[in-house]
Every structure is written in structure tokens, then in C-alpha cells.
Amino acid sequence: DAKHLVPNKMRDFFCTINLDQEEVFRTQVVEKSLSPYFGEEFYFEIPRTFQWLSFYIYDKSVLQKDLRIGKVSIKKEDLYNYTGKENWFMLQPVDSNSEVQGKVHLELKLNELITDNGSVCQQLVVHIKECHGLPLINGQNCDPYATVSLVGPSRNDQKKTKVKKKTSNPQFNETFYFEVTRSSSYTKKSQFQVEEEDIEKLEVRVDLWNNGNLVQDIFLGEIKVPVKVLRNDSFQAWYLLQPRENGNKSSKTDDLGSLRLNICYTEDCVLPSEYYTSLRNLLLKSSDVQPISASAAYILSEVCRDKYDAVLPLVRLLLHHHKLVPFVAAVAELDLKDTQEANTIFRGNSLATRCVDEMMKIVGKHYLKVTLKPVIDEICESPKPCEIDPIKLREGDNVEINMENLRYYVDKVFREIVRSSISCPTLMCDVFYSLRHLAAKRFPNDPHVQYSAVSSFVFLRFFAVAVVSPHTFHLRPHHPDAQTSRTLTLISKAIQTLGSWGSLTKTKLSSFKETFMCEFFKTFQEEKFTESVKKFLDDVSSTESKEPSGVSEPVHLKEGEMYKRAQGRTRIGKKNFKKRWFCLTSREFTYHKQQDKEPIFTIPIKNILAVEKLDENSFNKKNMFQVLHGEKPLYIQANNCVEASEWIEALCRVTRCNQKRLSFYHPSAFLNGNWLCCKATIESTEGCARCTADVPADTQIEIDGDRETERIYSLFTINRSKLQKLEEACGSIAVYQGPRKEPDDYSNFTIEDSVATFHTLQQIIDIIEKLNESHEKYQKKRSSSAKYGSEENPIVGKVS
């Protein structure tokens, strides 16, 4: 959220997230506010190098260009200082001199020239080769040119390259010559009197600009190199473009407002798979360790300050290797040992409950979409007033009508849920089956506990949470407005209560904190509700197959708006780019003129031969990829680098088993009678580059097992001191047959078997030390191979 924004009058605001100058996400517009609450979460993999993560606040305009109010920019190196916690940031003014991205490749040389009379003078040679990653201007590739200047106390010689049209990666390949010192016999009058000692004060400055034609040129960045670093050597390097020295420095000290952010940034160096074998095997056998508290996976959750840090990679790794169900059963059984009353079963935030929560989020995405999305869309797009709290009723509201509206929505959501058991993922059913039987075993005299064990997850932690926060589960693109949020909150409360099937009695109704909810639920005192819930819980906690006979429904994987190039399927018509709505399911890839319209073109998944990036020089457009199938390639432009990466990954994953996948492809397009990449003139010529797709073997669950193991290694490394404390605690218990130290030393740890736990800890520490050595070797190799000034490791700032 933001507060105290200027101008000091109610306006419509939205916020964008940018990697350098590339917008990757945008929030909804919050209308008529000075302190807008956005409440949106964005999770994404970063597919390219970047210098800054920036957040821009815009004032939405209907007729004119949206106005940038201010920004928060955080350097990549500083992201770790803010990760994992909320911070308020003061908005900074948006200055065009500070809005830069990209890098430039230069070669500089200082030549000695002998004149006709035998005296020596020096000449500077500047070869500007190319640039990479310049920003888009108004959503389009820029028209860049460079100025090359030799600057000193008493001189400013400037030369200019040609303008390159519509490209973010211009190839200049132009050379400029500057006289640095003149011989003493030089007699021609000149504007500059250059002496030998001035070379210490001279510098080469390269400025990148976007040619504005009829409007003002836009500054894209600059770099400065002192001439003294050249001496008599040739100097060639890549440089990251920098803001001007006066960029972001404004004479204005006005308070533009502030923005509250919660940033979680992780950067993992993932080694080849064989390096993780020992740690992976130790984690995967956790469910077999007796007791479970002595396992590596459990110890991970014990030493992490926030259990969630451990749960996310742990659940994903165990899912990837089909080991999650036995592990959840083992930690749930440990949970139940400490549960004294059946009505508090699985109500806390333990390792077991968090693992089940995360599992449901990962494997239940499609289940939520097919079950709740249509009714959530109806509530958000055609909202009816549903407020039934007398304190919150507005003038003119009719509480009886509002109660009818709320009852209509609750009935509809409830009906969709209890009819959905056939769509519940098998993995969720397997986990619910285990929990149900463990609960019945723990409380054999309570006939209801087997149901409450399941409803506490599927209703309270899954459906009810998705209803109140549909944007978090990708059921809606943005956080709903305040009135709709209130409606969803009331529906969510009702679903939680209906889901707790044993609470539908008059004695339980009296326990409601809000009298108005108690009155509302008196209309639900019908046997059919409790029977429906019971039948639904029976169905989703059964291990029998739920698949319907015949062909199952296609799984919806991804959809969104992008641009596609006309494929030339008709002889007439321009081969231009048009905006289309794309939809990917497990069965087909389609594009439509608009969302919810019939598809214009359909490619069956089995017909896709390859999905690869497309070189920018094909159409002078960034973020392009190609889908190769039986007909001509389908060329698509995504809106940003993150979106392009996600579409390529999703398409590769769903087509991984296709029998006729290509091994080679053309990185560029076939235009004007030849392939731009290899110059072959026959369109059917086999590709000139090997296909790059190397995807995980799970269509619906995006998991990289090695990356998750690397994340777990990082967590163990960060918490090394706690591992040692736990090791000491185990040693103390084993030697003295009981705690002899102060309880605070290890009272927060669960130690059931000190010998088994100590043994596992020794294995973990040994594996971590070996992985540390592997990382150090890799970093040395990387630093020696990626020379400072190379394209992979460009020079930042001024060379000295």
C-alpha cells in the first residue's frame, strides 16, 4: 500500500513492478484515494540480469498519458537488506537522467603517430561496437544512437554514430579518432591548446540516446572511461550504462508520499545434479527415520526461524520425488501426540499443517479454478450488496435483501464445493485419507474427529482462504475492491462454519462472536447441509479412484494477452502483429480475438514440435518466441521477459512427451526468401541450432528438484549455529541421561531420541561442508572464466 501521495487530492493510482526499465507486473487501479491499498502479491522467476528492481506509482488518466508520481528503486545488491520483512520507502522523483538499463561494448586504444617532421603525437581511437538490452520506449524498440566525447578541463570534442532503427540491441561498429596531444611544431591555430600533462584529466564519455525525430531525444545512459587507464594498451570491455551524475538529484524536497513493500528475494547458484545426491537422499528418507523428529527434513524445520522458509522447498522436493504423503503422515502423527482435545485437531501452525497447506496450494490450483472461478467471477463482476452487520449497514440498505443475496452466494459456493469431489487431485485425497485414519486412531471414541481432521484443511485452509483472497490463488487478476472483499469475507466465514459439519447444532450457534452471523445461520439448520458435507469429506478422503469414465477434462494451464504475427495462411492480408488472447490447456494451444470468444486458431498439443526463443533481429521486437508445428511457425511476442519465459516453460513442459519433437530449429525467421540465421534459401531446410528445451518431467507441477535442494542447503548453511546448538543439546541429553543445562539452551527443540538426532546432525553438517567446498570451487572457476569487463560480467561505474 501507499500513503500521503501527491497531488493532495483524491486520484486514481496504480503501481508497476519493473526490472530496470521493463515493466513486468501492474496492480489494479485504486480509485479516489491518497493512501491506496493494493494488497497484491507477485511471484516470479527473473529470467535475465538486472541492476534495479523498481516500483512506480502512477496517476491514472483517461484522456492523457498516465503520470508517474514517484518511484522506489532498489539495487540488486541491496535486495538482501530488505528481504523477508515489510519496509516503508519514501517515493523518489522520476528523473529521465536516472532511468537507464543495458550495456555497451567498447574498444579504446591510444596510438602514437609520427608526423612528417619526425615528432610524436598521440591519437585516441574509440571503436563503439554494440549495445545490448536498451529499454523499450513507449512499449516499442527504441531508435538508438551514441555520442562519443573526449572531455577535459578545456575541451569537449563530440562525435555521433548513425541512428539504428527499432532495435534494443544496436550494432554500431563505428570508429572515431581524437587528437590527444600535438607535437611542439604544430602551428595551426586551434580552439583547444592540449598539453601532454592534460592526459591525466581527459576522459572518454559515451552517451546513448533515443532519436525522437520530431520530439526531444531521450537519454538512455552513459559511461565514462579516463584516458589515463589506456597508457599504450588497447582496452576492450563491456560496460553497464549508468545514470547521469545529476540523475535522481532534485532541488525539490517535496514529500511525494511513501510505499510499503514486502520483498522476498532469493538467488541460488545451482550446481549439477550429482553434487546434491547425498543431501537429497538424506532428505528423501526422512519419512523412514524413527522417530520422525530425528530426520533431516524435521531438523530443517526446527532450525529455521520461520518454518515457512523450510516448508516451501521441502514440500516441493518431496512432491517431486513422490515422498510427501508418508512424510506428512509421520509429522501429523507426532502432532497428534500433543493434541489433548479432539476439537483442537490440526488447528495450529505446525510442520504438518504447513506442509499440507503448501501441498494444497501447489497441486490444488486447477481444482480451485474448475470449482470456484465461475462463481467468484460472478460475485466480483456483478456484485450484490451482502452486508448484514447492523453497525456497517449504510443508509438505505435493506438487511433482509442483503441476507437473501448473501444466502444466494453462500448456497452457490457451497453447492460447487460439495459437488467437486470428483475433481479433487489424487494426492490431496491420499493425504486426507492418512489424516483421517490417524485422527480416528488417536481419538477412537469420537465419531466426528475423522471428519474434522479433513474439514480443518479442505474447508478452513483451502476453500475458505481461496474465497477471501481469490487473487492469491490466481482466481482473479487483482485484489477485489473493499465492498467485494467484505462480501467474500462473509461468504468465507459461512463456508468455514458449514465445513465444520459437527458445529451445525444450536449449542454451537451460540458460540458465534457476531450476533448477526448467528441469526444468519439459523436459516441453515437443515439436515441436508450436514449430510452433504459428510458425503463430500468421505469422498475426498477415500483412496478409490475419482476419475470419471471416458475422457477426462483438459487441464487449464495458462492464459493471457500477447501479440502474434500473421502466419500467412491466406494469400491476401498483411503479415503484421495483432493482439490476441492465448489459452494453453493439457490438450491444445489456442488464440482468440478476445477472451471468452471462440478460438480463431487451434494447435493440438500433440502436434507441437518445438517451442524456442526467436532472435530479436527477426522482426526487431523483444521477448519473442516461436511455436513450431505442422504448418508455418507461430511467432508470438510476450509483453515482457518474465511473461515470455513463463509461456516458453509452460509450453515446453506440456509437450515434453511428444513423439515427433524436433532436435534442431532456426533461431531466426524465414524472411524475403531465406532464413536470417543460416541464410538457407529453402524454407523446409532443417534447423541450424540445437533445441534448448530441457524441462522437468511433471506437466502440472513446476518443480526443479536440484534448485529446491540447493535452497535447503542454503537454509542449513544460514542456520549452521543452530545445528551446532542442537548437536550440543543431543550430546548433553545422551551423556547425562537428561537435561543438565539450562532448559533455554534447547527447550525449543523437539528431541525424542538424542542418539538418532545426533547421528542425523553429523550427516547434515558433513554434507554441508562438502557442498561448501564445491561452491567455493565453482565460484573460483566462475570468477576466472567470467573476466571483469566481459559480456557476462560487465564493468559497473567509472573505470579507474
Side-chain angles (χ1 to χ4, degrees), residues 422-441:
I422 199 166
S423 302
C424 187
T426 305
L427 187 70
M428 285 175 64
C429 295
D430 290 344
V431 169
F432 296 153
Y433 175 82
S434 295
L435 297 176
R436 176 177 180 166
H437 284 269
L438 286 169
K441 182 181 174 184

Side-chain angles (χ1 to χ4, degrees), residues 134-167:
L134 297 181
L136 298 177
I137 305 295
N138 297 325
Q140 301 295 321
N141 280 336
C142 54
D143 295 337
Y145 70 90
T147 59
V148 182
S149 307
L150 182 62
V151 182
S154 59
R155 68 184 294 178
N156 188 351
D157 294 351
Q158 186 179 92
K159 302 184 179 183
K160 178 181 169 183
T161 69
K162 293 177 182 177
V163 176
K164 298 296 179 180
K165 292 288 186 181
K166 303 297 179 193
T167 177

